Amino acid sequence: LYFTKFPLVLQKIVHHHSKSHRGAIWIGIEENESLLALKKQLDTLLKDLHLPPEERPFSPHVTLGKYDKMNGARLGDFLAAYGEYRSESFE
């Protein structure tokens, strides 16, 4: 298979954690038509392989890191400093 490259923009750093304080920090990817078309192609390929579709809503992102124990103050400082980050467009 061949996929054509397309521009992406990274935006907004967020985190998710469980009650055990384990979690992940990630940055979202701004949705665009090319990204949605790629998702559709992949969904079709997976369906052809008889794999069940993803049930969670599509949330394009890049995982920046994971942690075992959250330090709320440090995480808060990091998100305050970098949470609204937005990259230039890149391929």
Side-chain angles (χ1 to χ4, degrees):
L1 294 175
Y2 176 76
F3 299 102
T4 59
K5 59 184 175 178
F6 55 88
L8 291 177
V9 174
L10 302 176
Q11 64 179 13
K12 192 158 173 117
I13 297 173
V14 296
H15 78 100
H16 174 76
H17 69 272
S18 63
K19 291 180 183 178
S20 69
H21 297 286
R22 297 182 76 182
I25 299 171
W26 50 273
I27 188 165
I29 298 174
E30 182 178 76
E31 284 191 29
N32 64 51
E33 290 302 315
S34 296
L35 182 61
L36 295 174
L38 175 59
K39 181 196 181 305
K40 259 185 166 174
Q41 286 178 306
L42 293 172
D43 286 346
T44 299
L45 291 170
L46 293 173
K47 183 179 178 185
D48 291 346
L49 294 173
H50 305 288
L51 294 171
E54 176 63 60
E55 294 183 10
R56 295 175 290 187
F58 182 53
S59 180
H61 67 278
V62 175
T63 301
L64 300 174
K66 294 186 177 194
Y67 52 86
D68 289 325
K69 187 171 183 181
M70 180 176 65
N71 179 320
R74 288 186 69 194
L75 180 59
D77 290 346
F78 176 81
L79 293 175
Y82 301 104
E84 296 302 318
Y85 175 81
R86 181 178 173 85
S87 75
E88 297 290 327
S89 179
F90 65 95
E91 290 185 338

